[in-house]
Amino acid sequence: MIGHRVVSLVVVGVVTATVLASGPFVPVDFTSYDRPCEGGALSSQGSATIEPASIPESATLTRSAFGAEVWKLDAPDAELRASDVRGCVRLSYELSIDALGISSMSTTTVSDDSPERHRLSIPKTTLEPDRVSEERYDAEVRLVYHGVENGTAVERAVVDRSITVEVTE
């Protein structure tokens, strides 16, 4: 009986010591995850060659079928290829509809150890029913590169195109 108690106390002691050693009071990190890009999704301290593979030419505003009385904006994903990546670059994919006063954007970071192909999605956006009154809206799609060229931080559009957003019931 005493043997079980001693083993239990040793196990509880080891777990407690591990939790305390890796907790907020003593900054010991037992993980082996390398962070390739300091700053995460906001990192833009590198360079790359970006080639768009597929950028949408249209999007839709669809009335919700479940009685929520909202319009949902759906846009196809943007697909791209990144090559000659050095360090970390940030890419943002944005869809803006000026007539409705909305802009939806997603961001990703590409680093030397990222795959060559990337897919960016516009987050699901909803609108109140009284805001949509037309059958179609003009919109702008942008794929923007944030990186460094010749030692200077740059932000440039890889793709900047006008598209049509169709309204469907």
Side-chain angles (χ1 to χ4, degrees), residues 52-163:
S54 172
I55 304 295
E57 296 183 13
S58 65
T60 59
L61 272 170
T62 307
R63 185 183 292 273
S64 175
F66 300 108
E69 302 270 338
V70 295
W71 290 91
K72 296 184 293 185
L73 175 63
D74 291 310
D77 293 345
E79 296 178 18
L80 56 101
R81 288 183 22 185
S83 58
D84 299 325
V85 180
R86 290 182 183 83
C88 299
V89 297
R90 181 174 38 136
L91 302 169
S92 55
Y93 171 44
E94 180 179 3
L95 187 142
S96 301
I97 307 172
D98 290 339
L100 295 174
I102 63 170
S103 182
S104 190
M105 180 175 68
S106 67
T107 302
T108 191
T109 301
V110 177
S111 66
D112 336 41
D113 60 350
S114 296
E116 184 177 319
R117 291 194 156 278
H118 297 272
R119 179 180 296 240
L120 288 108
S121 301
I122 293 292
K124 298 299 180 198
T125 303
T126 59
L127 296 160
E128 295 298 318
D130 59 340
R131 290 187 62 192
V132 177
S133 59
E134 304 294 325
E135 292 181 8
R136 69 181 48 89
Y137 290 92
D138 293 328
E140 185 176 341
V141 170
R142 294 184 73 205
L143 179 63
V144 180
Y145 167 92
H146 307 265
V148 175
E149 292 178 357
N150 299 324
T152 304
V154 296
E155 177 179 307
R156 65 177 159 77
V158 176
V159 173
D160 190 353
R161 87 165 47 139
S162 295
I163 66 168

Side-chain angles (χ1 to χ4, degrees), residues 18-75:
T18 302
V19 168
L20 290 175
S22 65
F25 301 117
V26 180
V28 176
D29 187 6
F30 291 115
T31 62
S32 62
Y33 175 71
D34 287 333
R35 300 180 196 278
C37 300
E38 287 299 318
L42 300 179
S43 181
S44 56
Q45 301 300 314
S47 64
T49 301
I50 305 299
E51 297 174 29
S54 172
I55 304 295
E57 296 183 13
S58 65
T60 59
L61 272 170
T62 307
R63 185 183 292 273
S64 175
F66 300 108
E69 302 270 338
V70 295
W71 290 91
K72 296 184 293 185
L73 175 63
D74 291 310

